[in-house]
């Protein structure tokens, strides 16, 4: 069914460790810090009711995703090199608009399906 050539033992180990980290994060956030780990809720509240802890939380997610993308995925650009500036601008607008729609849908449903799956 079109399994990626990058799918190997290392990717399985990374997936399992990522899942374990998510599980530990949910347990720690719920038990020690008394609250549900909800990304869409944090983002929504950051806009409506800014607090320093929310700024740090969202900033940490953005910064860690950039660092990990360089560490594990290399430094390939999106889209592929050689595309025109107009193609890159169009792609960026589509990504921003798509992200907005996903965020809006998650907000309307009081969280995303991933968050509901992790926290119940």
């Amino acid at each position: 069914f079109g399994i990626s050539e990058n799918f190997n033992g290392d990717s399985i180990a990374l997936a399992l460790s990522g899942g374990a980290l998510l599980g530990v994060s949910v347990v720690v956030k719920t038990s020690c810090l008394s609250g549900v780990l909800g990304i869409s809720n944090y983002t929504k509240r950051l806009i409506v009711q800014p607090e320093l802890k929310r700024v740090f939380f969202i900033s940490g997610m953005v910064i860690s995703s950039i660092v990990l993308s360089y560490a594990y995925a290399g430094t390939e650009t999106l889209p592929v090199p050689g595309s025109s500036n107009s193609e890159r601008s169009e792609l960026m607008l589509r990504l921003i608009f798509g992200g907005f729609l996903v965020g809006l849908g998650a907000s309307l449903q009081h969280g995303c399906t991933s968050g509901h799956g992790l926290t119940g």
Side-chain angles (χ1 to χ4, degrees):
F1 286 109
I3 294 177
S4 170
E5 61 204 33
N6 298 323
F7 187 74
N8 56 32
D10 290 339
S11 61
I12 292 171
L14 285 172
L16 289 173
S17 61
L21 283 172
L22 279 172
V24 168
S25 299
V26 168
V27 169
V28 168
K29 176 75 168 110
T30 305
S31 60
C32 298
L33 302 174
S34 68
V36 178
L37 180 65
I39 307 304
S40 58
N41 191 28
Y42 253 68
T43 307
K44 180 180 173 182
R45 288 187 180 183
L46 175 68
I47 295 168
V48 175
Q49 199 176 29
E51 284 186 33
L52 193 57
K53 68 178 183 179
R54 292 185 184 122
V55 172
F56 283 134
F57 183 79
I58 300 298
S59 299
M61 283 187 1
V62 171
I63 291 168
S64 64
S65 66
I66 292 168
V67 169
L68 290 175
S69 72
Y70 280 102
Y72 290 108
T75 57
E76 294 181 22
T77 58
L78 186 75
V80 291
S83 59
S84 68
N85 284 339
S86 64
E87 289 173 330
R88 290 174 190 240
S89 297
E90 180 183 344
L91 177 63
M92 200 51 70
L93 287 174
R94 286 182 180 198
L95 288 171
I96 291 169
F97 184 66
F100 173 76
L101 289 178
V102 168
L104 178 64
S107 178
L108 291 173
Q109 292 299 76
H110 305 290
C112 65
T113 54
S114 301
H116 286 292
L118 286 169
T119 60

